Amino acid sequence: MTAQLDKMDHVAIDLQHLSKVYGSGHVAVKAIDDVSLHVLEGEIVAVMGPSGSGKTTLLQVIGALLKPTSGDVIVNGTSISACPEGSLCQVRLQTFGFIFQTPNLLSALTAVQNVELAMNLAGAKGEKARQKARQLLEELNLEMRLGHRPANLSGGEQQRVAIARALANDPPILLADEPTANLDSKTGQGVMELLRKIAKDKGKTAVIVSHDLRIRYFADRVLWLEDGRLRPRWSEGVTIDPVCLMAVEKDKTTNVIEYEGEKFYFCSLECRREFEKAPSRFKESKLRS
Ligand SMILES: Nc1ncnc2c1ncn2[C@@H]1O[C@H](COP(=O)(O)OP(=O)(O)O)[C@@H](O)[C@H]1O
Ligand SMILES: [Mg+2]
């Protein structure tokens, strides 16, 4: 019994038969379908899934931004579903740091002020907050950009400010939704390296959802989501675009070509054209199967 309790002590996120249905009747969409999962403290989990598989919904339900239709989310031993609506805002601020696809920084504020504002919202004010904001930005290699406004920062720099903002109130859990989707491949990799390093240095638990398969290299554990369900692997219906390495559903794309007797599926016309220019560059992509 004690051993079991000790083990449970290290579970940061416990999802119990989680489901989320949007709408009702004949327009009902089951976005999350009976998902159960333990994420351990300090663990970085990547949830990979094609577009529409339920990634954003899953992350928002974990982060108490959306109520599940059934099932429960237990964070550090406390049931989020049981929290009264009025206290959820505080739970969110103290428990979760969110990183989205777009950094959503306030354009009139500098990098430091954007991070500081997140602290102010949770009650930390003045020089102490400013000092901590500076320190976080320095840890994300932004020491030369502290006084810059978002318009004068590159996409990768803006996303690193967003990571600092997510860490502003020292939440135990980071939740990231497609954090590299708006970045080129090299910048995305740099951002993910830093995200992983800072999460590990600070002992944070992280759940990252994405359809960019490269994210999996930065995770301790990779899970596969398809049609709202976690699976040991994707079905035959899901494949990888050999150019951008994004997950695509075969029956949801019209960008398909046959090359040397094999079918290739692309997320967009741009990727298909890129492939057609030099198929041999992409056809051996190790990630595809
Ligand atoms: N607010 C909403 N109302 C109705 N359906 C939604 C809503 N948000 C998402 N969906 C549907 O739920 C499914 C999962 O969506 P989402 O969680 O955004 O997937 P992903 O992030 O993997 O692209 C999709 O079929 C989507 O169309
Ligand atoms: Mg999404």
Side-chain angles (χ1 to χ4, degrees), residues 38-231:
H38 280 171
V39 180
L40 301 180
E41 234 176 79
E43 190 180 25
I44 300 179
V45 168
V47 179
M48 313 300 316
S51 179
S53 58
K55 302 181 297 295
T56 295
T57 304
L58 179 66
L59 210 67
Q60 295 198 343
V61 172
I62 296 174
L65 293 169
L66 263 183
K67 257 191 182 317
T69 307
S70 59
D72 205 356
V73 179
I74 297 168
V75 174
N76 292 329
T78 304
S79 162
I80 296 256
S81 336
C83 283
E85 195 63 45
S87 69
L88 274 184
C89 203
Q90 207 55 28
V91 170
R92 264 178 233 130
L93 274 173
Q94 286 167 357
T95 314
F96 303 107
F98 293 95
I99 299 156
F100 301 100
Q101 176 171 342
T102 46
N104 298 321
L105 303 175
L106 292 174
S107 60
L109 302 185
T110 64
V112 170
Q113 288 167 340
N114 265 282
V115 179
E116 211 183 327
L117 180 66
M119 293 173 185
N120 297 161
L121 291 173
K125 300 227 153 65
E127 188 52 35
K128 211 171 154 199
R130 184 153 315 152
Q131 197 51 42
K132 191 172 167 213
R134 278 200 203 106
Q135 191 193 324
L136 273 171
L137 290 165
E138 283 165 13
E139 288 178 61
L140 285 148
N141 300 342
L142 289 165
E143 58 279 4
M144 306 299 283
R145 299 286 183 272
L146 301 181
H148 285 51
R149 294 206 164 77
N152 298 319
L153 297 170
S154 70
E157 287 168 347
Q158 289 185 37
Q159 196 58 312
R160 282 186 275 147
V161 176
I163 294 172
R165 181 185 54 194
L167 290 160
N169 297 311
D170 210 15
I173 297 170
L174 293 175
L175 300 176
D177 190 350
E178 310 264 13
T180 61
N182 286 351
L183 304 175
D184 65 67
S185 165
K186 197 163 157 249
T187 307
Q189 188 168 332
V191 165
M192 283 309 299
E193 267 164 22
L194 267 171
L195 178 56
R196 180 178 168 90
K197 181 176 183 305
I198 204 159
K200 287 292 171 192
D201 285 352
K202 294 180 183 295
K204 305 294 180 197
T205 305
V207 179
I208 304 163
V209 302
S210 182
H211 70 307
D212 177 353
L213 214 65
R214 280 170 293 224
I215 295 265
R216 67 184 181 164
Y217 297 124
F218 301 94
D220 301 322
R221 186 154 53 116
V222 181
L223 302 168
W224 309 94
L225 191 69
E226 192 181 338
D227 295 330
R229 299 188 80 115
L230 288 180
R231 297 165 191 265

